[in-house]
Amino acid sequence: MDIRVMTLTAAALLVSQSGWAQVANGDFEQWNGNEPAGWSVIDSGVTLSPVSAPVMQGGLAAQVTVNTGTQGNTDLLQTVHVEQGQTYPFTVSLYHTEGHVKARLVVDGYQGYSNPLQTNQWQTISYTYIATTTKDIQVGLRFYDESGFDGSEVVYVDHFQPTDTSEPPAPACIDTIATLTLVTDQYASETSWSLANVGGAVLFEGGGYANETTNTREMCLADGDYTFTINDSYGDGLCCSAGNGSFVLAADGQTLASGGQFQHSQAFPFTLGDTETPPPPSDVDEYYQSAAGKTGFALKTALYNIINHHSSRGYSAIWDLVKVADLDHYYENDGSVLDMYSEQPASSDAVNFTKVTDQCGQYSGEGDCYNREHSFPKSWFGGQVEPMNSDGHHIFATDGYVNAKRSNWPFGEVGSATYTSGNGSKLGMAESGLGYTGTVFEPLDAFKGDFARAYFYMATRYENEIASWEGNTTNADAVLDGTNTTVFEPWMLNMLKRWHQNDPVSQKEIDRNQAVFEFQGNRNPFIDHPEFVGAIWGN
């Protein structure tokens, strides 16, 4: 069986004065999306993508995925010029992964085969061609299935010779260069990534890396909206059970995506170009104009449609948010980190954190450092899943030790405390009459409304998926009712409405809402319009 391929762009060849045939882009360093420049035939039975590992020469190789056992549908070819009487030594390097597909060198006809049983290492096939006439010929590869072929197999191709090493460099990027730095763990074969445009077309992707290596990839991107997705086939991310892997995608000094701890996949939408968030409307009602006149769950859905397209900046970027949004300009007014788990609104704080300097880190006791608290615990929505994992409207700077005590327990009102923080926040058994029996965490009265409005935001922003979160953990089940309308169990809803009523919106919340809006591009409606709570869920 042989294999063909679909058409690319221009073919080509560079001919020296001596008549030396040159394979264009034989080292597969130039790509237009998933099409290697210079290769004029890529049949539909194979798909190609650039990879930075494994490589034989230079920085990139071609990953060829053979998707058919139909002969004549797997060619990867280009046209070169040869001159009568000249001798041309053609060679190509191949890297087989499973051993159920072999490659055949094409040089004006079909020549030698690769050894498919020689897997996970580079091998070379070659053919010396003597031109009997001056003409254009096709050179490249055709792929053949072998016993055991299951319908899809990867072969890496690199260093197709002879290549014109004097070929001018690819045009300079006139747009934005985004650089991905990927550090693999001990199971690099599980890791892959892609970068897609707003229409979902994959422009760049990578995989097939070596274990515990640092890999970089530069991508030239025009202004627009993109999504970077990191994948781990096993489901344990890059860190930290099998090594300290990580990834950072950056452009113009700004981190667009970063991390290492995820499960099967993590997506990071971002925008290049004019990303400046528009100033808030002079009348905030303009922002909510499409929700005007609505009540009940129709109002909630209208608000969802307004706020559901925020820009996910990634969890690492939350450090940048909290050093702006979570500073004390309201109580001591000293610019220290305002931690709602240790702040003393009516007296001097016993704990003071300096932004950045006191980021966690390790902590063994209260006051050691501050970290990023998911007030709506991440285990409830499935772990480190975007955009929930980096949504600034429910993530606050908090004392790392107290945050660990809170863990993923529900907020509630404590009857018998087992732990009390320095500012009086408590962990313990729920008080009788709450409507819930179990361990709960109770923040100060001065901040209960802040947390309630964060929860109403989560119920609205994630209306499209929150109904499925109830079964993720026991505590999620205790709080969520499995619907995308009411969202909360009766005891929780009643308590949140009471907290919202008794602790009205403060200037701190108003300022923070604006800071998060400037950070990610959406607002918390229940801070701008506290009356929306009653209009949706009743008073």
Side-chain angles (χ1 to χ4, degrees), residues 82 86-90 107-108 127-132 135 137:
V82 295
Q86 298 291 331
T87 300
Y88 302 96
F90 289 96
V107 181
D108 197 20
Y127 179 75
T128 299
Y129 179 79
I130 301 174
T132 57
K135 62 178 180 178
I137 66 170

Side-chain angles (χ1 to χ4, degrees), residues 440-459:
V440 295
F441 184 88
E442 181 176 4
L444 287 189
D445 290 347
F447 302 123
K448 285 178 177 175
D450 303 55
F451 291 119
R453 285 177 281 276
Y455 272 45
F456 289 129
Y457 165 86
M458 293 295 286

